[in-house]
Amino acid sequence: MTDVATALQDPLEEVAPPRGQHGAAAWALWIARRLGLAVLTLWLVSVLTFLATAALGDPVRAILGRDYNSNPGRVAELEALLGTDQSLVSRYLDWLGGLLTGDLGVSLANGQPVGEQISDTVLNSAVLVLLSAGVMIPLAFIVAMISVHYRRKRPDAVIQTVLLAMAGLPEFVIGVLLIALFATTVFTVLPAVTLVPQGGSPWDEPQSMVLPTLTLVLWVTPYVSRIVRASLLEVIDSDYVELARLKGIPEKVVMRKHALLNAIVPGIQVIALQLAFLAGGVVVVETLFSYPGIGRQLVDSVRNHDVAMVQALSMIIASVYVVVNLIADLLSILLTPRARTAISS
């Protein structure tokens, strides 16, 4: 009987921790390990980013152009200013030290501090990603629940066919299709590019944010919805959900309190991964719609050979990826009592 009761136990049911265990110390060790892995990941990214930007070529030659060979005095001055006359290791350590102290360097394009130039673009991208996530998350769960409700029926087949077709489209294809549909040939109701007045913000013209947001939503929602649907089906077919039905619990309560809550944990992991992808996916979307965010700025910086700007923006995107996944790991543990008990013990 004990084995049967254990098999039918709801995973979200609290499990009493063993006696004599130091839960606070175990949690501190778990958090320290996760933070250590996050720091190690960011350090490796910093090494790869620095080596990749160093491989782009000599920034002094890119700045001077034809004057590089005819003005050796200016070459030496710029090399001393940019530190390119030092060894690769010394340059990396200087850059890493500045990164840790908040000094992101000086832009080679205009000589202005990088931190001052990226503050507005980081905010613009953050608003776009958060707005897309605010639409994507509930939409993905709603579509998944509708699909599960009609599983093995025609509506479910239609939904899965549409999701599978959309999941195979890259973000730039979705964006071009939306521009053709709503901004050029069919319905000219939305602007094809984001027009931002001098000193203004994209959200000052809300209609210009519709297509970039919709592109990101349609790009991410199919994958999240399919994963959530699979998790819901696995939970619904489990023994403890069937036991809840046999007890006479209404189907809506079973879906809300048992199936949906148990499907949230894998859903969180997928959503975190997709949000991290959004931080990188905005590069294409922002360039397509001329949205003034870090993605468009990164493309312009690569084109202008602005090494300091490329390094700073790359580290920001990597930091977002690491932090989002770290938060997802923590939420997954907090929402799974058995996992909390395993850490405490």
Side-chain angles (χ1 to χ4, degrees):
M1 290 296 293
T2 304
D3 294 338
V4 174
T6 302
L8 296 180
Q9 190 173 14
D10 191 329
L12 289 184
E13 227 177 277
E14 287 287 353
V15 179
R19 295 183 179 180
Q21 300 295 334
H22 301 284
W27 272 100
L29 180 60
W30 182 85
I31 293 176
R33 287 176 178 173
R34 287 295 188 273
L35 290 176
L37 288 174
V39 172
L40 177 61
T41 302
L42 289 177
W43 175 72
L44 292 175
V45 170
S46 72
V47 173
L48 294 176
T49 300
F50 185 83
L51 293 177
T53 51
L56 292 177
D58 187 0
V60 177
R61 184 183 293 273
I63 294 173
L64 294 179
R66 297 179 179 179
D67 296 334
Y68 182 82
N69 295 322
S70 61
N71 195 344
R74 182 59 176 163
V75 170
E77 181 183 350
L78 284 177
E79 286 180 344
L81 178 63
L82 300 176
T84 56
D85 56 343
Q86 303 177 11
S87 66
L88 189 65
V89 175
S90 298
R91 287 158 52 192
Y92 169 73
L93 293 177
D94 290 340
W95 172 71
L96 182 62
L99 193 66
L100 295 176
T101 58
D103 182 9
L104 301 179
V106 177
S107 172
L108 300 182
N110 51 30
Q112 300 296 320
V114 171
E116 296 179 1
Q117 299 182 65
I118 66 176
S119 56
D120 291 338
T121 54
V122 169
L123 178 61
N124 293 342
S125 292
V127 171
L128 179 61
V129 171
L130 292 177
L131 184 61
S132 302
V135 177
M136 177 268 295
I137 294 174
L139 178 61
F141 274 86
I142 291 173
V143 171
M145 293 181 67
I146 294 175
S147 181
V148 169
H149 181 73
Y150 291 102
R151 63 172 175 167
R152 301 187 183 94
K153 297 180 181 179
R154 182 172 297 179
D156 180 31
V158 172
I159 291 175
Q160 293 308 304
T161 302
V162 173
L163 292 179
L164 186 61
M166 293 177 58
L169 296 177
E171 65 270 32
F172 67 88
V173 174
I174 296 175
V176 170
L177 291 176
L178 291 177
I179 291 175
L181 182 60
F182 295 108
T184 55
T185 56
V186 183
F187 304 105
T188 311
V189 293
L190 293 171
V193 296
T194 305
L195 302 176
V196 181
Q198 187 68 26
S201 302
W203 50 88
D204 294 335
E205 300 290 338
Q207 66 273 15
S208 66
M209 296 192 65
V210 174
L211 290 184
T213 302
L214 188 58
T215 300
L216 292 175
V217 170
L218 294 179
W219 178 47
V220 174
T221 299
Y223 183 74
V224 177
S225 183
R226 286 170 60 85
I227 296 297
V228 173
R229 175 185 179 274
S231 300
L232 281 172
L233 289 177
E234 182 179 356
V235 172
I236 286 176
D237 293 335
S238 62
D239 294 334
Y240 62 86
V241 171
E242 187 63 29
L243 180 62
R245 291 194 181 101
L246 293 176
K247 290 180 179 179
I249 299 177
E251 187 65 24
K252 291 183 179 179
V253 178
V254 171
M255 177 67 71
R256 185 178 67 253
K257 294 189 63 176
H258 296 273
L260 185 58
L261 287 178
N262 282 289
I264 282 179
V265 174
I268 288 176
Q269 296 289 345
V270 175
I271 290 171
L273 186 61
Q274 295 306 306
L275 288 179
F277 281 157
L278 284 180
V282 293
V283 174
V284 176
V285 174
E286 289 179 357
T287 303
L288 179 63
F289 292 99
S290 298
Y291 186 86
I294 59 175
R296 180 185 173 190
Q297 192 173 33
L298 180 60
V299 173
D300 293 340
S301 300
V302 172
R303 186 181 296 117
N304 297 329
H305 205 90
D306 195 344
V307 175
M309 187 72 73
V310 173
Q311 291 172 339
L313 294 175
S314 300
M315 290 305 300
I316 289 174
I317 293 175
S319 299
V320 171
Y321 190 95
V322 171
V323 170
V324 168
N325 281 278
L326 186 62
I327 294 174
D329 286 343
L330 183 59
L331 288 177
S332 298
I333 295 296
L334 292 177
L335 291 174
T336 309
R338 288 189 175 185
R340 297 201 305 266
T341 303
I343 292 177
S344 299
S345 59

